[in-house]
Amino acid sequence: MQLPQSVSNAAEPWTTAELNRLEELARCNIPPCVIGIRLGRPEIAVEQKAAEAGITLEPANQPPYGRPPSNSS
């Protein structure tokens, strides 16, 4: 049985390229569940690695998917 795409890399060590991609996606405010799908990792693994690497996920004051916050001043 083949693993679902979202966990196909679950048992593999994280590569430098994956860490760079994680940081890039986090900067774009992509949710951890979507990052997991894109990297082939479980959401919890994405959250744990982000915490280890000091990468902030899901800023509460920004809209999702990289849209800049609206300036309603």
Side-chain angles (χ1 to χ4, degrees):
M1 181 168 108
Q2 187 176 13
L3 290 173
Q5 178 185 1
S6 62
V7 295
S8 60
N9 293 327
E12 300 296 323
W14 286 75
T15 65
T16 302
E18 286 178 313
L19 287 173
N20 291 340
R21 184 76 173 135
L22 171 59
E23 188 171 15
E24 176 187 337
L25 293 170
R27 273 196 313 266
C28 292
N29 202 27
I30 306 297
C33 59
V34 176
I35 294 173
I37 291 168
R38 292 187 183 181
L39 296 178
R41 303 263 180 194
E43 180 179 356
I44 189 70
V46 169
E47 293 170 345
Q48 289 173 345
K49 184 52 80 172
E52 287 175 18
I55 299 169
T56 303
L57 297 173
E58 295 185 292
N61 62 348
Q62 291 185 7
Y65 297 102
R67 287 180 283 174
S70 60
N71 292 332
S72 56
S73 316

